[in-house]
Amino acid sequence: MEKILNQEEIDALFRATQKGEISPAVSATARKNVTKFDARESSQISQEQVRSLSLLHEAFARNITNSLGAYLRVGFEVNLVSVEQLDFSEVVSRMPDMVYLCSIRILPLEATALLQMDLALAFPIMDLVLGGSGQGAFELRDLTEIEEQILESVVQILTRELQASWAAVLEVEFAFDQRQQNAQVISLMPPTERNLTLNFEIKMSDAHG
């Protein structure tokens, strides 16, 4: 899964951290070293900023492990793999041809995040929601309207936990926007726009993505 913010949104998030405190899940070191960040003046986020973002989203991953595992009634593990800053063109170039994509509104910032989920993970999750075992071989194909609605309910859990993780840093709302097709995504922002990209690995039963 990837969640993407453009450079103005990154700037707004870091600027806002000066008005609040890092969540208790974040270390004391991170709390002491929150500083203003202007992506337009820096070609890359610093290691200190990467550490702070990593601590926050590692807590998010732990919460998702519990809440989504309970929702699906299955052993579920989520881990943060990387925090990167990439041009949007590179983000798009990394996307598989067949993947679940949806946009997420970030209010009141009027910002947009993009969530990507491998279909090799999406189909077992949908099978579990419908009462199946989530195991076995699944044909990777485009989703039906009903399947999109099922995944939307899963995304709503993700956005709720993401909002809870950010609550102590910034009062912001994450809300599902709409399913996105690969061809639509490229128009979301300019190809050279810098983005904060978070990569997570999810493991469950016989599936991972």
Side-chain angles (χ1 to χ4, degrees), residues 74 124 127-128 130-136 138 204-206:
V74 69
D127 187 58
L128 285 165
L130 295 173
S133 65
Q135 300 178 347
F138 294 89
M204 46 168 277
S205 303
D206 294 333

Side-chain angles (χ1 to χ4, degrees), residues 64-66 68-78 121 125 128 133 135 202-207:
I64 285 296
T65 295
N66 296 327
L68 205 49
Y71 177 70
L72 298 173
R73 301 180 300 278
V74 69
F76 199 83
E77 181 181 353
V78 184
L121 183 65
I125 286 178
L128 285 165
S133 65
Q135 300 178 347
I202 295 179
K203 298 178 182 179
M204 46 168 277
S205 303
D206 294 333

